[in-house]
Amino acid sequence: MSTANTPGTPRSILPPDPNPVKPRYVPPPNACDGHCHVFGPAAKFPYAANRSYTPEDAGRERLAALHKHLGFTRAIIVQASCHGTDNSALLDAIAHSNGTQRGVAMVKPDVSDKELERLHAGGVRGARINFVAHLGGAPDMKAVDAVIARITPFGWHIQLHMDAHEVTQYRAFLDGLKVPFIIDHMGRPEAKHGVKQAAFQQMLDLMKNPLAWTKISGPERISSTGKPFHDAEPFVRELIAAAPDQLLWGTDFPHPNATYMPNDGELVDLFAKFCDDEAMRKKILVDNPTRLYWPELVAA
C-alpha cells in the first residue's frame, strides 16, 4: 500500500522485494519475461511531472541482475505511466540488451512518423494504453483510435491495461480492432468471484479472437487472499486451456501499485505450478513471445 501524500502530489508506492529467492524451476533457453518495467534512475531519466505515483528507482542494471538470477535471457519492457510518453529509459535499456529485449511504448496521438521510426529502430513493437482508474481512468477514445492509426503501418500491437469490468464495457471496441492487442494481467478479474464471474467469462470469450492476447501474469493483482496467491490458479488454467497460443507470462517487476508485494523468484515457481506441462511452459515463455516480438527469428 502506498504512503499518504499531499493532495495533488504523486503518491509513493512500495518498492519491490529486495531479496528474490532463487526459483526451483529453471526456465528453458531463450525464456522471456513478457512484462516488466524500468524506473529511472530519476537523476538520468526524470519521472513525468503529471504522474500519479513515484516509484523507487529500478533501472536497467537492476532488471538485468534480476533476470540473470531468475534464469531469463529475454524480456519485454513495458512503459509505465510514471514516465509518461518519454520512453528514454525504456530505449536505453533495450539498447544495452544486445537484442534480447523489446519494448512497448506510450505515445501521443499526434506522434510523428519520425518518432515512430526512432522507436521502432530502438526495439519498440507496441503501444500501451491505460484504462484503469488509479492511473487516470478511461482515455479519450478518439485519441486511442488516433494512436492505433499511427502505429498500424509499423506492424505494432496495442497493449491495454484494463480492469475486469472494462473488458465488458469496451467489448465492441475490442471486437473491432484490426491489429493484435494484449489485455494485461488476465483482464484483472477479482479471484474471490471465481472463474464463472461474468467479467472473466467475457475475457475467455474474447480470447476466441485470434488477434487477442493476454498475460497470465499478476497473480498478486487478482488475488483476494494474498500470498501465496493460489486463488489465481484456476484463472491461469482456464486461459491456458482456452488460448495457449495467445499467452505471455511476465514478472511485472518492480510491481508498481501492488497491494501484495510478491517475491519474483516465488512468482517463477508459481508459474511452473500453475502450468505443469513443460511443452506448454516453453510455448508461453519462448515460442509465443518470439512470434509476437521477434518474428524475424520465426521467419528465419
Side-chain angles (χ1 to χ4, degrees), residues 33-267:
D33 179 351
H35 190 106
C36 53
H37 310 282
V38 286
F39 291 156
K44 184 176 182 180
F45 303 111
Y47 299 118
N50 63 345
R51 66 192 182 279
S52 61
Y53 66 89
T54 301
E56 177 180 279
D57 283 351
R60 59 177 171 82
E61 295 91 351
R62 187 171 179 181
L63 183 64
L66 175 71
H67 286 151
K68 183 177 181 180
H69 179 71
L70 300 180
F72 286 81
T73 55
R74 297 192 298 176
I76 308 304
I77 302 179
V78 178
Q79 178 79 343
S81 66
C82 61
H83 275 296
T85 56
D86 182 349
N87 298 283
S88 299
L90 178 150
L91 290 172
D92 177 70
I94 296 173
H96 286 85
S97 74
N98 195 30
T100 63
Q101 294 177 353
R102 291 287 186 264
V104 177
M106 292 179 67
V107 298
K108 297 178 180 178
D110 61 352
V111 61
S112 67
D113 278 346
K114 183 177 180 180
E115 175 64 5
L116 289 173
E117 289 166 0
R118 184 179 79 92
L119 292 171
H120 190 84
V124 170
R125 295 297 181 266
R128 193 186 200 200
I129 301 169
N130 285 312
F131 286 75
V132 295
H134 71 262
L135 297 176
D140 178 349
M141 293 308 293
K142 289 184 178 179
V144 173
D145 290 340
V147 168
I148 294 170
R150 301 294 296 112
I151 68 159
T152 296
F154 290 86
W156 290 9
H157 64 75
I158 59 168
Q159 184 165 322
L160 306 169
H161 195 191
M162 293 179 156
D163 283 320
H165 71 277
E166 290 165 330
V167 175
T168 301
Q169 180 181 348
Y170 291 98
R171 181 60 190 269
F173 161 72
L174 297 171
D175 286 343
L177 289 170
K178 304 301 183 185
V179 298
F181 60 95
I182 302 174
I183 306 293
D184 281 347
H185 309 314
M186 300 180 274
R188 296 176 63 106
E190 293 184 69
K192 65 183 178 182
H193 299 308
V195 296
K196 297 301 183 183
Q197 63 182 282
F200 188 66
Q201 288 299 307
Q202 188 81 220
M203 185 70 196
L204 289 175
D205 189 63
L206 180 67
M207 296 303 292
K208 295 175 183 177
N209 182 343
L211 293 176
W213 292 65
T214 193
K215 300 183 181 184
I216 50 172
S217 57
E220 73 280 8
R221 296 193 181 277
I222 77 166
S223 177
S224 299
T225 59
K227 288 185 177 181
F229 314 126
H230 286 173
D231 54 339
E233 181 171 358
F235 298 86
V236 173
R237 289 189 178 275
E238 287 280 341
L239 284 164
I240 290 174
D245 294 323
Q246 295 153 239
L247 302 178
L248 303 170
W249 179 89
T251 59
D252 195 23
F253 180 84
H255 313 284
N257 299 293
T259 299
Y260 306 111
M261 185 55 63
N263 180 287
D264 288 285
E266 292 173 356
L267 286 180

